[in-house]
Amino acid sequence: MESNSVSPMPELAPIAEFDKTPPTPPEDTIPMDDLPPPPTVVTVANNSVEQEAETHRHYEEENEWGCGSWLEYTMVVVLASVLLLGSLALTLFWVIYYHNGFAWREDLSKQFNLHPVLMVAGFITFSGFSILLYRICRCCRRIYVKLLHTVFHALSIPCVAIGFMAVLDTHNLKRPEAIPNFYSLHSWIGLVTMGLFAIQFVVGFFSFLVLLCCEGATSAFRAALVPIHASFGLTTFMLAIAACVTGLTEKVIFTLGENYEKFSEQSIIVNTLGIVFIALGILVSYAVRIPNLRGDSMVYMDDRM
Amino acid sequence: MESNSVSPMPELAPIAEFDKTPPTPPEDTIPMDDLPPPPTVVTVANNSVEQEAETHRHYEEENEWGCGSWLEYTMVVVLASVLLLGSLALTLFWVIYYHNGFAWREDLSKQFNLHPVLMVAGFITFSGFSILLYRICRCCRRIYVKLLHTVFHALSIPCVAIGFMAVLDTHNLKRPEAIPNFYSLHSWIGLVTMGLFAIQFVVGFFSFLVLLCCEGATSAFRAALVPIHASFGLTTFMLAIAACVTGLTEKVIFTLGENYEKFSEQSIIVNTLGIVFIALGILVSYAVRIPNLRGDSMVYMDDRM
């Protein structure tokens, strides 16, 4: 066994993305990082004897890993970006072409159309790009990535809020009888998603931006919060996808009924949209978590999250 | 900044679960491990100077991490197990109490009832336990875990096959007119799930069991395959959950129609079942991936996967 112990990871690349020599030196007064001791190096060593000798090589390779290897993600990031925009475009097309576009209060069925479009914009497109930023902006300073992350999530809020009001209105103003709210599995999943999103936004904003005002005292707390925030963030995105596919199923059956089984144009469009959401769930979680394109057998949560 | 560089991970626990001194020494002839060079140590070091000094502490703590810390997972594992069995029980209750139980060929609507029960049994309960095994059996020898993993997935196969035949029969034998197959988003997601499951089973069986016959020559290949198999396995489980929630939505709307909005008993049961599936998706991915109950700020894929 020992003689056969060929390393599965012959090229041990350091996984932390910190630059030892960042392009712009950090201000001494207001450091921006959540994980305070740069450089944090995550090393995969096959035995303890090799460990020290290899450390230096890791440091040398660090710059390459930090900025160079993002090229390896190009395909995943480009595909995810195309699907994030494509899902919104396809939702818009579905709603405008098959459901006559938008209105507010004048026509309840057209007002309802705001719901899928705005929810997809908020929970999928903006949130998806917000998560992907940590892959796209691998060479930017972290404070800029954090601010962009916040801005994208902040843009989601009006989308989700108006999208939510649109469906509530559609239900409550329906005549001769109002439609009850929160009766379906879709609405239950959506409610949990919105709650988790709100908690994540408030906790994230407070912890990773506001608490920077007393950076030294809060660094350990913020560092401990990073993986929790990242895990719940990805969970929220997955919940949003579950809400999307159940919502699409609901809407297409309520609209087409028995005709759903006739492979109409609309049903193909809706199913394709659903598969795009599923693909996005796989791609975004892959892009965020798995840096093993270079052959590491390790999966980790990026410490810049 | 440097003076404030408090380590976010004061107790650096080793992450690899390899035992340096396993309870039973591995046979020299047929070693059972996919990751050949024991011990593989994943170390999080804050600077290169501390690294070597801390290595020894990591090795000392390894046994504690390997077998002791699984107690910390008890709650997650117990909750996941309860939900895995609970989801199957709730599906059985729903189908027997509200849809009159089972039949084969005699009554198509009763034959259809086999579909949700067997698919949940195969894709959720058996597959879920099969994945969870890597958390439950932390102290067992890996070959036993691998065999149990294979057995549980093998048990899924007849469930999925009969569950699939049940719905095909229901569609094809329907009179006066057969119902088309694969028209819905649920069926598309389900088809992708079954395809991925089949690929995973064949590749996993061949790579991690059959290739053990020439263990030395294939160890690097098998080790490289571990994270891919694990990622796609979790993806398959998530796809199965997406198939479940879309399938539930379909079935409850086709059954109840407009009455779905009246908060009937059945709709509450179905929604609860859907939320249980969602909770399982969160819990199982958490149980498999996140070992940070001890405060590590790192998320990894268990190298025993």
Side-chain angles (χ1 to χ4, degrees), chain A residues 46 183 185 271 289 299-300, chain B residues 39 183 185 260 271 289 299-300:
Chain A
N46 288 323
Y183 66 84
L185 179 56
N271 291 2
R289 275 195 305 243
V299 176
Y300 75 114
Chain B
Y183 67 84
L185 179 55
Y260 188 22
N271 291 0
R289 276 196 304 244
V299 177
Y300 75 116

Side-chain angles (χ1 to χ4, degrees), chain A residues 116-136:
Chain A
V117 171
L118 290 175
M119 287 306 198
V120 168
F123 276 132
I124 304 295
T125 310
F126 283 135
S127 296
F129 272 116
S130 189
I131 295 170
L132 267 191
L133 275 178
Y134 280 89
R135 275 287 164 268
I136 294 170

Side-chain angles (χ1 to χ4, degrees), chain B residues 17 65 70 73 76-77 130-139 145 284 286-291 300-302 304-305:
Chain B
E17 288 173 290
W65 177 258
W70 72 270
Y73 292 97
V76 172
V77 168
S130 188
I131 295 171
L132 267 191
L133 275 178
Y134 281 88
R135 275 288 165 267
I136 295 170
C137 306
R138 287 174 75 110
C139 299
V145 181
V284 168
Y286 178 85
V288 167
R289 276 196 304 244
I290 307 186
Y300 75 116
M301 185 72 77
D302 184 357
R304 295 178 67 166
M305 283 293 289

